[in-house]
Amino acid sequence: MSSEQNPATPKSTGNAGNAGAGAAGEDTEHAGSRPPRLTYAAALVALEGLALVVGGLWILVLGVTGDPDDRQQAVTGGVTLMVLALLPLLAARGLLGRRSWSRGPAVITQIMALPVAYNLLQADSMAIPAGIALAAAAVAALVLIVNGETTRALGIRGPGNAEDSDSDVGK
Protein backbone atom coordinates (compact mmCIF):
# COMPACT_ATOMS: atom_id res chain seq x y z
CA MET A 1 0.00 0.00 0.00
CA SER A 2 2.90 2.37 0.63
CA SER A 3 4.03 2.06 -2.99
CA GLU A 4 0.63 3.40 -4.05
CA GLN A 5 1.13 6.43 -1.81
CA ASN A 6 4.62 7.13 -3.09
CA PRO A 7 4.46 10.11 -5.46
CA ALA A 8 7.54 8.82 -7.30
CA THR A 9 5.53 6.01 -8.91
CA PRO A 10 3.37 8.22 -11.17
CA LYS A 11 6.39 10.35 -12.06
CA SER A 12 8.39 7.36 -13.19
CA THR A 13 5.55 6.11 -15.41
CA GLY A 14 5.20 9.56 -16.93
CA ASN A 15 8.91 9.66 -17.64
CA ALA A 16 9.05 6.27 -19.37
CA GLY A 17 7.95 7.62 -22.73
CA ASN A 18 10.11 10.73 -22.46
CA ALA A 19 13.39 8.97 -21.73
CA GLY A 20 14.16 11.38 -18.91
CA ALA A 21 13.50 14.59 -20.82
CA GLY A 22 11.78 16.11 -17.79
CA ALA A 23 8.67 17.31 -19.61
CA ALA A 24 6.74 17.95 -16.40
CA GLY A 25 7.85 20.31 -13.66
CA GLU A 26 7.31 17.53 -11.11
CA ASP A 27 9.82 15.26 -12.85
CA THR A 28 12.49 17.94 -12.74
CA GLU A 29 11.82 18.57 -9.05
CA HIS A 30 12.04 14.87 -8.19
CA ALA A 31 15.29 14.50 -10.12
CA GLY A 32 16.75 17.52 -8.32
CA SER A 33 19.42 17.45 -5.68
CA ARG A 34 18.94 15.99 -2.22
CA PRO A 35 18.07 18.43 0.55
CA PRO A 36 21.06 19.02 2.85
CA ARG A 37 19.10 17.76 5.87
CA LEU A 38 18.57 14.42 4.15
CA THR A 39 22.27 14.17 3.34
CA TYR A 40 23.22 15.01 6.95
CA ALA A 41 20.77 12.43 8.28
CA ALA A 42 22.18 9.78 5.95
CA ALA A 43 25.71 10.67 7.04
CA LEU A 44 24.84 10.34 10.74
CA VAL A 45 23.07 7.02 10.20
CA ALA A 46 26.00 5.72 8.12
CA LEU A 47 28.45 6.87 10.80
CA GLU A 48 26.54 4.88 13.41
CA GLY A 49 26.60 1.84 11.13
CA LEU A 50 30.33 2.19 10.61
CA ALA A 51 30.85 2.51 14.36
CA LEU A 52 29.00 -0.78 14.82
CA VAL A 53 31.21 -2.46 12.22
CA VAL A 54 34.39 -1.13 13.86
CA GLY A 55 33.16 -2.16 17.32
CA GLY A 56 32.24 -5.61 16.06
CA LEU A 57 35.61 -6.08 14.40
CA TRP A 58 37.39 -4.88 17.54
CA ILE A 59 35.51 -7.34 19.76
CA LEU A 60 36.03 -10.12 17.22
CA VAL A 61 39.78 -9.51 16.95
CA LEU A 62 40.19 -9.26 20.72
CA GLY A 63 38.15 -12.43 21.15
CA VAL A 64 40.27 -14.38 18.70
CA THR A 65 43.75 -13.02 19.48
CA GLY A 66 43.38 -12.13 23.15
CA ASP A 67 42.57 -14.16 26.23
CA PRO A 68 38.83 -13.61 26.78
CA ASP A 69 36.85 -15.34 29.51
CA ASP A 70 34.70 -16.94 26.85
CA ARG A 71 36.08 -16.95 23.31
CA GLN A 72 32.80 -18.14 21.79
CA GLN A 73 30.86 -15.32 23.45
CA ALA A 74 33.37 -12.72 22.21
CA VAL A 75 33.20 -14.01 18.64
CA THR A 76 29.41 -14.14 18.76
CA GLY A 77 29.25 -10.59 20.13
CA GLY A 78 31.55 -9.27 17.42
CA VAL A 79 29.65 -10.98 14.62
CA THR A 80 26.33 -9.80 16.08
CA LEU A 81 27.47 -6.18 16.09
CA MET A 82 28.60 -6.44 12.49
CA VAL A 83 25.27 -7.96 11.43
CA LEU A 84 23.38 -5.25 13.35
CA ALA A 85 25.40 -2.66 11.39
CA LEU A 86 23.54 -3.71 8.25
CA LEU A 87 20.34 -1.94 9.38
CA PRO A 88 21.77 1.59 9.63
CA LEU A 89 24.05 1.10 6.62
CA LEU A 90 21.15 0.02 4.40
CA ALA A 91 19.01 2.82 5.81
CA ALA A 92 21.73 5.38 5.04
CA ARG A 93 22.01 4.10 1.49
CA GLY A 94 18.24 4.35 1.11
CA LEU A 95 18.21 7.89 2.49
CA LEU A 96 20.89 8.92 0.01
CA GLY A 97 18.83 7.34 -2.76
CA ARG A 98 15.70 9.14 -1.52
CA ARG A 99 13.85 5.86 -0.92
CA SER A 100 10.77 6.23 1.26
CA TRP A 101 11.28 2.81 2.92
CA SER A 102 14.58 3.96 4.43
CA ARG A 103 13.03 6.30 6.99
CA GLY A 104 11.63 3.45 9.13
CA PRO A 105 14.93 1.60 9.63
CA ALA A 106 16.72 4.92 10.20
CA VAL A 107 14.26 5.91 12.95
CA ILE A 108 14.44 2.44 14.52
CA THR A 109 18.23 2.69 14.61
CA GLN A 110 18.07 6.01 16.45
CA ILE A 111 15.50 4.73 18.95
CA MET A 112 17.71 1.70 19.65
CA ALA A 113 20.75 3.95 20.09
CA LEU A 114 19.18 6.07 22.85
CA PRO A 115 19.09 3.34 25.57
CA VAL A 116 22.63 2.33 24.63
CA ALA A 117 23.74 5.94 25.07
CA TYR A 118 21.97 6.07 28.44
CA ASN A 119 23.78 2.94 29.62
CA LEU A 120 27.11 4.39 28.49
CA LEU A 121 26.36 7.58 30.43
CA GLN A 122 25.71 5.54 33.60
CA ALA A 123 29.20 4.00 33.50
CA ASP A 124 32.00 5.45 35.60
CA SER A 125 34.61 5.16 32.90
CA MET A 126 35.79 6.39 29.55
CA ALA A 127 32.43 5.29 28.12
CA ILE A 128 30.78 8.57 29.20
CA PRO A 129 32.14 10.61 26.23
CA ALA A 130 30.99 7.82 23.88
CA GLY A 131 27.53 7.99 25.47
CA ILE A 132 27.39 11.75 24.99
CA ALA A 133 28.44 11.45 21.35
CA LEU A 134 25.97 8.64 20.66
CA ALA A 135 23.09 10.49 22.32
CA ALA A 136 23.87 13.67 20.40
CA ALA A 137 24.11 11.81 17.09
CA ALA A 138 20.88 9.88 17.71
CA VAL A 139 18.86 12.96 18.68
CA ALA A 140 20.28 14.99 15.78
CA ALA A 141 19.55 12.19 13.31
CA LEU A 142 15.99 11.80 14.63
CA VAL A 143 15.34 15.52 14.23
CA LEU A 144 16.73 15.45 10.69
CA ILE A 145 14.84 12.30 9.69
CA VAL A 146 11.39 13.45 10.85
CA ASN A 147 11.86 16.96 9.47
CA GLY A 148 9.21 18.05 6.97
CA GLU A 149 11.72 18.80 4.23
CA THR A 150 13.22 15.32 4.59
CA THR A 151 9.79 13.71 4.61
CA ARG A 152 8.82 15.50 1.39
CA ALA A 153 12.14 14.59 -0.25
CA LEU A 154 11.47 10.93 0.55
CA GLY A 155 7.98 11.18 -0.96
CA ILE A 156 6.19 10.32 2.27
CA ARG A 157 2.70 11.77 2.59
CA GLY A 158 1.43 12.68 5.99
CA PRO A 159 -2.10 12.36 7.35
CA GLY A 160 -2.93 15.85 6.05
CA ASN A 161 -2.32 14.75 2.46
CA ALA A 162 -4.57 11.69 2.64
CA GLU A 163 -7.49 13.75 1.30
CA ASP A 164 -5.58 14.34 -1.95
CA SER A 165 -5.30 10.60 -2.62
CA ASP A 166 -8.99 10.04 -1.74
CA SER A 167 -10.11 12.70 -4.22
CA ASP A 168 -7.92 11.13 -6.94
CA VAL A 169 -9.53 7.72 -6.44
CA GLY A 170 -13.04 9.05 -7.11
CA LYS A 171 -12.05 10.58 -10.47
Side-chain angles (χ1 to χ4, degrees):
M1 186 168 197
S2 64
S3 64
E4 294 173 2
Q5 295 175 353
N6 190 352
T9 305
K11 292 175 191 174
S12 63
T13 57
N15 241 4
N18 260 344
E26 292 178 357
D27 293 337
T28 308
E29 179 185 340
H30 184 70
S33 64
R34 250 184 331 271
R37 290 179 179 159
L38 184 57
T39 303
Y40 299 149
L44 283 173
V45 173
L47 184 63
E48 290 170 349
L50 290 174
L52 283 172
V53 169
V54 169
L57 282 173
W58 183 59
I59 291 173
L60 186 62
V61 168
L62 286 179
V64 171
T65 62
D67 188 24
D69 293 336
D70 186 2
R71 186 175 311 272
Q72 184 179 5
Q73 186 178 8
V75 170
T76 302
V79 170
T80 300
L81 279 180
M82 289 189 292
V83 170
L84 284 175
L86 291 175
L87 182 66
L89 291 174
L90 289 173
R93 181 179 168 117
L95 288 172
L96 286 175
R98 296 172 70 177
R99 306 285 190 255
S100 61
W101 61 261
S102 62
R103 189 170 94 160
V107 168
I108 289 169
T109 300
Q110 306 319 308
I111 291 172
M112 289 177 12
L114 291 173
V116 173
Y118 178 78
N119 283 333
L120 291 172
L121 289 171
Q122 298 303 310
D124 289 330
S125 66
M126 296 298 293
I128 293 175
I132 293 170
L134 180 58
V139 169
L142 270 174
V143 168
L144 290 169
I145 292 167
V146 300
N147 183 278
E149 182 180 347
T150 303
T151 303
R152 282 187 297 278
L154 292 173
I156 299 171
R157 295 186 197 182
N161 293 332
E163 296 166 359
D164 297 337
S165 63
D166 290 341
S167 63
D168 292 342
V169 172
K171 291 183 179 181

